[in-house]
Amino acid sequence: MNPAEYDNDELIFLEEEEGQQEHHEDNDTWNVLIVDDDEEIHTVTRLALSDLVVNGRKLSFSHAYSGEEAIKVLSEHGSSIAIVLLDVVMETDDAGLQVAKRMREELNLHEPRIILRTGQPGYAPEENVIKEYDINDYKTKTELTRSKLLTTIIASLRSYQQILTINQSRVGLEKIIASAANLLEEHSIKGFCEGVVTQISSLIGLDAGGVVCARAGSVLDREDDAVYVLGAAGQFATYINKRLDSLHDDKIIREVNLCLQKRDHIYAEDFSVLYMNSSGYEAAVYVQLGSSINVVHRQLLEVFMTSISVGYENVNLFHQLRNAAFRDMLTKLPNRNEFINMLDEIEDSSADIEDLVVALVDVNHFSDINDGLGQDAGNLLLIAIAERMQNNLGDAVRMGRIGADVFGLIGSGDVVNPDTISALFTSPFKAGDHTLPVNVTMGFCRLMSECCNGLNILKQSNIALNRAKRSLTANYEYYAPEMEEKTTWRLGMIRQLRTDFAERKLQLWFQPQVDLVSESVVGMEALLRWPAPEGGFISPVVFVPLAEYSGLIIEIGAWVLEEACSKLKQLHDRGLDKLRVAVNISMPQFRDPQFIDLVKNALTESGIDPKCLELEITESVVMDEPQIVVDSLKALKAFGVSIAIDDFGTGFSSLSYLQKLPLDRLKVDRSFVNDVTSGKSAFIAETIVTLGNKLGLQTIAEGVEKREQASHMLRLGCDEAQGYLYAKPMPFDELNHFLDNYSPRA
């Protein structure tokens, strides 16, 4: 096309500016890319369109003189170009068509409008090319007069603006949909509110910034009633989750508060404040426009705000549900579930974790405060503890409440350590009308580069806490792998013990007891044996504490009683009706409300005389909970059962309680019997025997292995003995054989 071809439209040529007009990427102009290998076409086109204004915006031109050059410009600035005036024939016959194809397929530029021009009608593209590459218009240069060019440009700009608006709306809607699909994410309200601002900008066709604000009491986990920024876009993005009055713009603060007060939209020359409300969940959306909006846009925005209000309510409801699942409602701290998530985030992050420490802080004797002062005082104390930790440890430490009276901390070792945390509890806490001193126990776990998952880290911290609770010297403990190994071993042993007991693999052995004068068998002690998988037996010193720890001792103890009585009945039926059996009883059995009835039932069902059953207890059992033991033994003594104290003299029993117990027999511990032949004084053994005689009790010496021990104990006045000198513990079948063949020493 040359200048003469515009004569019919009375084109008034303007003076050319020197050089080419630069590309603009702002919203004051429409960016047009002219692609043609004829430089004169560039000049004429630019002059023909230089005074065109569409929707208040002039045209800005970019230039390319080949297909490859056009692709380069589009790669760098394609997202801001509205129209491409594209010559078909340039370096090749289809260079323009190749540009159109690469625009749509490679560069994914679907918004810019394409107007094809050619000076050679024979090179007109096929109809399918026009459709496939979304080409707006096709003209030969001879038919493209100024008026037709203007018409084509205006129509293409309108098409571009519509497509751009649709795509921008789609982006805004996708953000809202994405927010709704991820409502359980921490910033779901933030994402929704950002989408609102983006969508408003798309609807009115302006690049607007803005904020979405609401009162804290309406949607946030805050006690105050101040207005907060929930979401923002543009220049206001840094104010999210901050109070509205922190904005350095008095007009925004004033207008948002006015909107919430009036509960209505506000429209002004350069801004709008839109009101949103659904079921009491209200918000004000301040949009910075830069210019006033027309009536049509106002109506569109009002419909839009009404339609998304329900979504705003849903987001807030889901936010509250999420808080219920991941936040402690009392202290407003993350709960156990969220604390585990926080630990998982550490593992997933690429940050250096080797200086991080996890701590569990357990409030000692918290149940006493609840029981003595009431739950309200306990709740106020927990709130006060949480506030002091937050105020003193600050943002450098992340924390949560992971149990009724246990707090979790995550931070660097120079802050999360015993000294720093203990210092927080040196002064008492105010809980309502009460001023309460608080002591804590702490378990620490240093994070390693090969960090485990959150649940495992919490488990390791808890292992350290439990170890600290059992310590007599310190109120804290750091996790070490051997702690977990010991715990794992203990749990494995308990699991195996439970399995073997259920499969009746446990055995009851018996060790005979003899009269020291006649050396005839007068009874036997029932001893529990647990066969080891690899052969031999697991020591009672190992498995009895495990059975007591797990509570399995109640079931095992009941079986031992029943089995011992049953076996004794078999001996009585053989004519050995003078024999008795001794059974050891642990403290957990005494705590069992059914214990007394259990003993009585075992005797009744076996049909043996109650005096033939002797219950053995240790001094430590007596001193653990004396009154429970005394009351139970008195009830059983009244039923006819005999009572003995095992290992007497090794504990620290009070003689006052000793006098209260309905005892029949004292057992002298083997350690004192050994003193008889080790060159040491047998003073303690003599004292125990003398004490027994003074109290009118029988005495029996344990661990008698040598003849001189038996002789010495007899001289002291001891009545009975048991030990390897007479017989080792043996299964019941061997006991029968032993009794058949045993004869007292002449």
Side-chain angles (χ1 to χ4, degrees), residues 125-143:
E126 300 291 337
E127 182 180 346
N128 65 315
V129 175
I130 298 290
K131 293 178 180 178
E132 185 175 355
Y133 302 130
D134 190 16
I135 294 170
N136 265 52
D137 205 351
Y138 171 76
K139 300 288 185 184
T140 61
K141 295 178 181 179
T142 55
E143 66 178 322

Side-chain angles (χ1 to χ4, degrees), residues 255-475:
E255 297 299 335
V256 167
N257 282 307
L258 181 61
C259 174
L260 291 172
Q261 181 182 346
K262 292 174 56 179
R263 298 187 173 184
D264 198 4
H265 307 301
I266 298 174
Y267 297 101
E269 284 296 319
D270 58 348
F271 72 89
S272 294
V273 190
L274 307 170
Y275 180 70
M276 180 166 51
N277 183 21
S278 179
S279 300
Y281 294 98
E282 61 176 1
V285 185
Y286 180 93
V287 186
Q288 186 79 51
L289 300 173
S291 61
S292 60
I293 55 176
N294 57 39
V295 176
V296 174
H297 280 158
R298 286 191 186 187
Q299 293 173 344
L300 181 62
L301 286 176
E302 288 173 7
V303 172
F304 170 71
M305 295 305 293
T306 301
S307 66
I308 67 167
S309 291
V310 175
Y312 179 64
E313 177 189 354
N314 290 339
V315 168
N316 280 288
L317 290 174
F318 274 103
H319 181 70
Q320 291 182 9
L321 288 173
R322 185 188 185 280
N323 280 348
F326 294 100
R327 191 162 297 276
D328 173 47
M329 292 297 104
L330 179 65
T331 62
K332 308 304 180 186
L333 293 174
N335 63 11
R336 182 179 184 275
N337 292 332
E338 183 65 5
F339 193 77
I340 293 173
N341 290 340
M342 289 156 57
L343 293 173
D344 284 332
E345 289 173 7
I346 295 174
E347 182 193 18
D348 295 338
S349 70
S350 58
D352 184 13
I353 65 172
E354 292 193 1
D355 187 45
L356 291 179
V357 175
V358 176
L360 298 185
V361 182
D362 190 318
V363 180
N364 296 338
H365 311 301
F366 179 73
S367 59
D368 292 343
I369 296 172
N370 271 345
D371 295 342
L373 302 178
Q375 191 170 352
D376 288 344
N379 289 344
L380 291 173
L381 175 61
L382 292 173
I383 293 171
I385 292 173
E387 289 177 350
R388 183 178 293 183
M389 288 197 298
Q390 287 177 300
N391 293 337
N392 286 272
L393 299 179
D395 296 336
V397 176
R398 302 176 72 185
M399 61 189 65
R401 182 186 175 206
I402 63 171
D405 56 357
V406 179
F407 294 88
L409 306 175
I410 307 170
S412 63
D414 58 351
V415 179
V416 181
N417 58 63
D419 292 339
T420 303
I421 298 173
S422 294
L424 299 176
F425 296 89
T426 53
S427 59
F429 291 81
K430 190 74 174 174
D433 297 331
H434 307 283
T435 300
L436 304 173
V438 173
N439 293 316
V440 295
T441 304
M442 298 166 285
F444 295 88
C445 179
R446 296 183 180 93
L447 300 190
M448 303 298 176
S449 55
E450 61 278 3
C451 186
C452 304
N453 61 49
L455 195 59
N456 202 53
I457 296 171
L458 186 61
K459 180 189 74 173
Q460 294 173 348
S461 305
N462 198 60
I463 289 172
L465 177 62
N466 289 331
R467 181 75 170 263
K469 288 180 179 179
R470 295 193 296 270
S471 174
L472 300 176
T473 58
N475 69 331

Side-chain angles (χ1 to χ4, degrees), residues 463 479-492:
I463 289 172
Y479 168 80
E482 54 266 25
M483 293 180 186
E484 187 168 4
E485 292 168 6
K486 187 174 181 179
T487 301
T488 302
W489 170 85
R490 183 170 64 248
L491 293 175

Side-chain angles (χ1 to χ4, degrees), residues 476-582:
Y476 70 90
E477 192 76 65
Y478 277 87
Y479 168 80
E482 54 266 25
M483 293 180 186
E484 187 168 4
E485 292 168 6
K486 187 174 181 179
T487 301
T488 302
W489 170 85
R490 183 170 64 248
L491 293 175
M493 291 289 285
I494 291 171
R495 186 163 50 247
Q496 189 61 48
L497 177 59
R498 189 178 299 277
T499 300
D500 286 358
F501 176 63
E503 295 176 356
R504 304 186 68 82
K505 292 182 179 179
L506 271 62
Q507 302 173 9
L508 196 62
W509 286 25
F510 300 88
Q511 185 174 27
Q513 298 169 328
V514 302
D515 182 279
L516 272 174
V517 176
S518 66
E519 293 196 349
S520 60
V521 177
V522 293
M524 60 269 185
E525 181 180 3
L527 300 168
L528 190 62
R529 292 291 183 263
W530 181 17
E534 64 277 4
F537 294 89
I538 298 169
S539 171
V541 176
V542 173
F543 74 79
V544 170
L546 295 177
E548 292 179 353
Y549 173 82
S550 64
L552 191 59
I553 194 67
I554 303 296
E555 299 174 57
I556 294 177
W559 173 78
V560 169
L561 271 169
E562 293 167 359
E563 188 74 3
C565 290
S566 173
K567 295 299 191 245
L568 183 62
K569 180 65 167 79
Q570 293 180 36
L571 295 177
H572 285 184
D573 291 343
R574 289 182 52 208
L576 302 172
D577 54 354
K578 300 299 182 183
L579 294 180
R580 67 174 185 268
V581 66

Side-chain angles (χ1 to χ4, degrees), residues 38-305:
D38 187 342
E39 186 172 352
E40 186 178 4
I41 295 297
H42 289 261
T43 302
V44 172
T45 302
R46 184 159 53 87
L47 291 174
L49 301 174
S50 61
D51 59 348
L52 179 63
V53 177
V54 180
N55 290 344
R57 294 159 68 176
K58 298 183 68 176
L59 274 58
S60 172
F61 298 96
S62 298
H63 301 274
Y65 298 90
S66 68
E68 287 302 319
E69 191 176 344
I71 291 299
K72 182 179 179 182
V73 174
L74 289 167
S75 299
E76 296 174 356
H77 307 289
S79 61
S80 64
I81 291 175
I83 294 176
V84 180
L85 285 166
L86 183 60
D87 189 12
V88 174
V89 181
M90 290 179 286
E91 63 265 41
T92 62
D93 291 345
D94 64 346
L97 298 181
Q98 290 300 317
V99 170
K101 180 179 181 181
R102 293 179 66 183
M103 269 184 67
R104 302 308 193 202
E105 294 180 357
E106 293 180 19
L107 303 180
N108 289 317
L109 294 174
H110 300 287
E111 293 168 350
R113 301 294 86 206
I114 299 175
I115 301 173
L116 286 180
R117 299 192 296 185
T118 183
Q120 305 177 44
Y123 289 94
E126 300 291 337
E127 182 180 346
N128 65 315
V129 175
I130 298 290
K131 293 178 180 178
E132 185 175 355
Y133 302 130
D134 190 16
I135 294 170
N136 265 52
D137 205 351
Y138 171 76
K139 300 288 185 184
T140 61
K141 295 178 181 179
T142 55
E143 66 178 322
L144 196 58
T145 63
R146 181 176 185 274
S147 61
K148 289 182 180 180
L149 180 61
L150 291 175
T151 301
T152 297
I153 291 292
I154 292 171
S156 296
L157 284 176
R158 287 174 177 169
S159 175
Y160 170 75
Q161 190 172 25
Q162 290 170 355
I163 292 172
L164 189 65
T165 299
I166 290 170
N167 285 344
Q168 287 178 338
S169 297
R170 176 180 52 79
V171 171
L173 286 171
E174 285 177 352
K175 195 159 192 177
I176 292 176
I177 293 170
S179 176
N182 296 284
L183 289 175
L184 295 183
E185 295 296 325
E186 185 177 356
H187 302 297
S188 57
I189 290 181
K190 169 180 171 288
F192 183 89
C193 293
E194 287 177 350
V196 169
V197 177
T198 303
Q199 180 69 358
I200 289 173
S201 301
S202 300
L203 287 172
I204 59 179
L206 296 174
D207 185 14
V211 293
V212 181
C213 306
R215 296 199 181 279
S218 171
V219 296
L220 296 177
D221 307 316
R222 302 179 188 269
E223 300 295 335
D224 62 344
D225 198 37
V227 177
Y228 284 80
V229 177
L230 303 185
Q235 60 182 310
F236 307 107
T238 58
Y239 291 99
I240 295 172
N241 290 332
K242 295 182 180 179
R243 288 171 61 116
L244 174 64
D245 54 23
S246 67
L247 266 72
H248 301 297
D249 194 320
D250 293 337
K251 181 178 70 174
I252 296 178
I253 298 171
R254 181 180 64 253
E255 297 299 335
V256 167
N257 282 307
L258 181 61
C259 174
L260 291 172
Q261 181 182 346
K262 292 174 56 179
R263 298 187 173 184
D264 198 4
H265 307 301
I266 298 174
Y267 297 101
E269 284 296 319
D270 58 348
F271 72 89
S272 294
V273 190
L274 307 170
Y275 180 70
M276 180 166 51
N277 183 21
S278 179
S279 300
Y281 294 98
E282 61 176 1
V285 185
Y286 180 93
V287 186
Q288 186 79 51
L289 300 173
S291 61
S292 60
I293 55 176
N294 57 39
V295 176
V296 174
H297 280 158
R298 286 191 186 187
Q299 293 173 344
L300 181 62
L301 286 176
E302 288 173 7
V303 172
F304 170 71
M305 295 305 293

